[in-house]
Amino acid sequence: MRLAVISDTHIPERADAIPDDFRERIAGADHTIHAGDFETPEALAEIRDLAADLTAVHGNADPANLELPAVADVTLEDVTFVVTHGTLNPVEAAVYGHDGMVMTDEDWANAIADTARARTRAWDGEGVVGIGGHTHRVEDRVHEGIRLLNPGSVTGADPAEKATMMTVDVQDGEFEVTLYEA
C-alpha cells in the first residue's frame, strides 16, 4: 500500500498550486495523510478530490470551518500513523498544566512523539509513526522510540526553500519512506 504524506499547503496566501508531479503522486496513492495548514476550504477540497482516501488534521493557519480534528490516526498494514500539526503538545499541556506551545525543534519532536504514544498507548513506539507539519522542514528520524515524519511543505510555502512531500510504502508492519522535492 502506498501513502502520500503532505503538509502545509498554504494556498492561496503563501503558494499558488501543488506541483503537477506531486498531484500525480497524491492521485496515485492508496491513502493520503495531510498534517494541516490547508489555509482555505478550497485547498482542502482540492486535496480531497485528488486523494483516494484522506486522513487530515487542522493546522494553525486553517479556519475553524474546515472542521478537521487536532489529532487523527489511521492503521494501515499493521502500522498506525498518528497525525497532528505540531503547534502544541496536548499531552504536556494536560500533564503539566501549561499551554504546551511548541517553541523549539525539541518541543516539536516531543509533541509529535508524545501525541503518538498517548493516542496508541504504544509506549515503546512499536508499529507507530508520528506525522506532523508546521515547521515546513523535512524530518525523518526516531525520537524516544517513535519514528517521526514531517514532509515539509507540499507547495514550498515560505519558510520552505522548495516543495517537498513523502510517500510511504507499507506492507505487513514494515514500511519504507521516500522524499520527493520539486
Side-chain angles (χ1 to χ4, degrees):
M1 170 174 269
R2 176 161 285 181
L3 284 70
V5 181
I6 59 177
S7 188
D8 294 281
T9 307
H10 290 288
I11 294 174
E13 292 298 319
R14 291 197 231 173
D16 296 325
I18 297 168
D20 289 341
D21 56 332
F22 286 9
R23 293 172 61 81
E24 290 172 14
R25 284 189 180 89
I26 294 165
D30 300 300
H31 192 95
T32 298
I33 293 174
H34 193 296
D37 278 358
F38 294 92
E39 206 168 272
T40 62
E42 293 79 16
L44 172 58
E46 179 181 7
I47 299 294
R48 282 189 170 139
D49 286 347
L50 286 172
D53 200 11
L54 179 65
T55 297
V57 296
H58 191 272
N60 62 299
D62 289 328
N65 68 350
L66 291 189
E67 299 181 0
L68 294 169
V71 178
D73 64 85
V74 61
T75 301
L76 303 165
E77 294 285 331
D78 299 324
V79 177
T80 301
F81 298 88
V82 178
V83 189
T84 188
H85 187 56
T87 51
L88 65 92
N89 186 333
V91 175
E92 195 171 282
V95 172
Y96 299 110
H98 60 75
D99 64 8
M101 290 299 298
V102 169
M103 303 301 285
T104 67
D105 289 342
E106 185 73 10
D107 289 346
W108 181 89
N110 287 335
I112 306 306
D114 290 350
T115 301
R117 272 194 297 277
R119 184 69 167 227
T120 61
R121 293 178 176 74
W123 309 118
D124 63 357
E126 187 67 31
V128 177
V129 176
I131 297 175
H134 183 59
T135 66
H136 298 212
R137 284 190 311 269
V138 172
E139 298 273 354
D140 182 356
R141 63 180 163 134
V142 175
H143 180 76
E144 297 179 356
I146 302 288
R147 179 82 175 262
L148 305 181
L149 300 178
N150 182 337
S153 170
V154 70
T155 59
D158 185 53
E161 295 180 8
K162 59 185 103 178
T164 54
M165 71 170 288
M166 294 174 168
T167 59
V168 179
D169 291 305
V170 60
Q171 184 174 356
D172 299 325
E174 301 291 324
F175 61 92
E176 183 176 325
V177 178
T178 304
L179 173 66
Y180 298 93
E181 299 177 344

